[in-house]
Each structure stands twice: as structure tokens, then as C-alpha cells.
Amino acid sequence: MRAIAEFSMRSRVRAVLLTMVGIPLISPAVLALVGLRRGSSDGLFVLAWAVLPVVAAAGAGYMSPLMSGLAITHFVGVLAGALVLRATRAWSWALIALAVATSLGILLTSQISGGILSSLLEAASEATAGADSEQLSRVFNSEAQATGYLSWVSVISATLALVLGRWWQAMLYNPGGLQQEIHNLRMPLPIAAVGMLLWIFCLVSEHYVFWGAVVAFPMLVAGIGLIHWMVAQKGWGRGPLIALYVMLVIAALPLAGFLCGLALIDSWIDIRARTGNKA
């Protein structure tokens, strides 16, 4: 991993090559690293070259509007998060910017492709002679559900790429910097309160459940960051963190609710500061 980061930082051409090959997670993480380290000028330059093969493939008919839109959205969301993180040095605003940029990209893709749900159903029907198409239509019964789901998945994948890019930057130039930032991640109270209310509203609406997950995602990450800080303060090792991520897979919704509530409380009373004062 270090070799990839060092290679991409030696010149813009090398960074462009790594992003143009389209390696999942690695290519967008390289774009994030360029944006974090060198700013918007180099970041936009690399982004333009990264999406060039996607645009060319879509124009030639080798790539559907849905797939090309998803690919471009992914790169744009990662770079948006990286540039905001570079400018503000705050993961809270970086996550918000990433989620907004990615969601807008998915909505634009929906308009360009003629509807994400219909595109997914068509692709499933062509691939499996209609078998998976019927099953997919039972899972997603509205366009809002389909766009919300793809937005949620895209936000998660873009965040992972941004974290990897920031990890590379810390490894090369600021060892331990990423850990400190995650431990100090705390959402502004107005954002946390509005996010919690919107998430609860979306949970009771069948068509906007996944959009609620998108809204709550920055708070979820803030809650995870607070748990990381607690574990580090107590010296509990990696065991509790492994259990946390396993439980996020097994019981995602209840644990997500707990983590978002924890993030909201932290935004209100600042748990780290209160713990420090008592110590």
C-alpha cells in the first residue's frame, strides 16, 4: 500500500495512470490522496483524466448511462470529500460534502439514464431472462428506494476510498494523524439534530428508508469514531472494535441507531471534554 501511495505522489502522470485503470477502492483513493495533498488544481486534473475512459466508453456504447454515471459520481464524491477535508480539517464537513455530492450524482444519473429502477430491471432481465428482474422488483418497488439504495452504497464506498487516501497521506507525511482525526470526529449539534430527525422520518416511510441511511451516515461514522476513542482511552485493544464491526453486519439497524444516538449526545455535551475534565 505504501508503494502505491509513494508512486502516485511522484508525479501527476503516475497518479493519472493509477486512477485511469479503474482499480476498485485503489483508484479513487489515489484521487483522494492527490486532492488532500496537492489541492483542487491537481485533484481536478486527475479527476478529468480518471473519468475520460468512462465518458469514452459511454459515448461508444460500451458502457450504460447507469454504470458510467455511477463511476463518475464515485470519483466526484471522493474528490469533494477530500477537498473539503483539506480545507476544513474536519471529517464532519468532509463526510457531509461527500454524502451530498454523491447523492446529487446519483439523482442526476437517474435523470440521465431514464430511471435507476427501470435500468436495473432491464439489466437484470437481460442477464437472467427475467428471473432476477421479478425478484428485484419485489425488493425495490419505487424509484426513490432504488436511488436511495445506490446512494447509500456509493456513500459507503466513497468514504472507504477517502479514508484510505487519508491513511496514505498520514503514512507518508503525518504518522498517526488519521487516528487522531477519527478519535476527535464530532458532528455539529444542529447538523446532528436535523440528521436524526430526518432519519427517523425516513425510517417510517417505506420509500425513503435508504435515504434515511444516507442522511444518518455521517452521524454513524461519528459514533464509530467515538467508540474508537473510548477503546483507545481504556486500552482495551482491538477486540471491542472487531466485535463492533461484526455487530454492524449482524444487527445493522439497532446498532446504527445506538451509534447515531451516541453521536447526537456527544454533539450536545462533548463526551471527550467532560471525560477529560473529570480525569
Side-chain angles (χ1 to χ4, degrees), residues 179-180 182-185 222-235 241 266 270-276:
Q179 183 185 54
Q180 183 178 2
I182 296 300
H183 286 183
N184 293 331
L185 173 55
I224 292 174
L226 182 59
I227 296 295
H228 273 258
W229 172 81
M230 289 179 177
V231 170
Q233 286 290 105
K234 299 296 184 179
L241 298 179
D266 183 43
D270 195 350
I271 294 173
R272 298 171 187 84
R274 286 176 176 265
T275 304

Side-chain angles (χ1 to χ4, degrees), residues 110-111 113-118 141-148 207 211:
S110 176
Q111 294 298 317
S113 64
I116 285 179
L117 181 57
S118 60
N141 53 27
S142 69
E143 180 69 11
Q145 275 191 339
T147 54
H207 301 296
W211 281 112

Side-chain angles (χ1 to χ4, degrees), residues 186-197 200 219 222-223 226 257-271:
R186 181 168 168 260
M187 299 299 296
L189 180 56
I191 299 295
V194 171
M196 181 63 80
L197 290 174
I200 293 173
M219 296 174 60
L226 182 59
F258 168 75
L259 291 171
C260 289
L262 189 63
L264 178 61
I265 294 172
D266 183 43
S267 297
W268 182 21
I269 66 174
D270 195 350
I271 294 173

Side-chain angles (χ1 to χ4, degrees), residues 6-279:
E6 290 176 340
F7 180 85
S8 62
M9 283 290 95
R10 285 174 186 155
S11 69
R12 291 200 299 184
V13 174
R14 296 188 180 194
V16 165
L17 289 175
L18 285 175
T19 54
M20 288 183 70
V21 294
I23 305 173
L25 188 62
I26 300 297
S27 293
V30 170
L31 176 61
L33 176 59
V34 172
L36 286 166
R37 183 64 182 174
R38 297 180 177 170
S40 59
S41 179
D42 280 22
L44 291 172
F45 177 84
V46 174
L47 173 65
W49 281 98
V51 301
L52 183 61
V54 178
V55 174
Y62 295 111
M63 202 171 187
S64 67
L66 174 60
M67 296 307 298
S68 58
L70 291 176
I72 294 173
T73 294
H74 187 59
F75 279 117
V76 171
V78 170
L79 182 60
L83 294 179
V84 171
L85 181 58
R86 172 185 168 89
T88 64
R89 299 184 181 275
W91 271 96
S92 56
W93 293 112
L95 290 170
I96 292 170
L98 183 150
V100 169
T102 302
S103 299
L104 290 176
I106 295 297
L107 290 174
L108 182 60
T109 298
S110 176
Q111 294 298 317
I112 294 174
S113 64
I116 285 179
L117 181 57
S118 60
S119 298
L120 290 175
L121 293 175
E122 181 180 352
S125 179
E126 292 176 356
T128 61
D132 285 352
S133 176
E134 296 179 2
Q135 184 177 0
L136 190 63
S137 63
R138 289 195 294 268
V139 176
F140 302 120
N141 53 27
S142 69
E143 180 69 11
Q145 275 191 339
T147 54
Y149 175 76
L150 285 185
S151 296
W152 177 56
V153 173
S154 298
V155 166
I156 292 175
S157 60
T159 300
L160 292 175
L162 178 57
V163 169
L164 179 57
R166 178 64 187 95
W167 179 60
W168 282 343
Q169 185 191 30
M171 185 192 307
L172 295 179
Y173 308 108
N174 181 27
L178 175 60
Q179 183 185 54
Q180 183 178 2
E181 291 171 0
I182 296 300
H183 286 183
N184 293 331
L185 173 55
R186 181 168 168 260
M187 299 299 296
L189 180 56
I191 299 295
V194 171
M196 181 63 80
L197 290 174
L198 287 175
W199 184 44
I200 293 173
F201 170 78
C202 291
L203 280 177
V204 299
S205 177
E206 178 184 2
H207 301 296
Y208 296 100
V209 170
F210 291 114
W211 281 112
V214 173
V215 171
F217 185 75
M219 296 174 60
L220 174 65
V221 177
I224 292 174
L226 182 59
I227 296 295
H228 273 258
W229 172 81
M230 289 179 177
V231 170
Q233 286 290 105
K234 299 296 184 179
W236 288 338
R238 297 181 179 179
L241 298 179
I242 294 174
L244 170 68
Y245 290 112
V246 170
M247 288 302 297
L248 272 174
V249 176
I250 298 175
L253 186 58
L255 186 55
F258 168 75
L259 291 171
C260 289
L262 189 63
L264 178 61
I265 294 172
D266 183 43
S267 297
W268 182 21
I269 66 174
D270 195 350
I271 294 173
R272 298 171 187 84
R274 286 176 176 265
T275 304
N277 290 336
K278 290 180 179 179

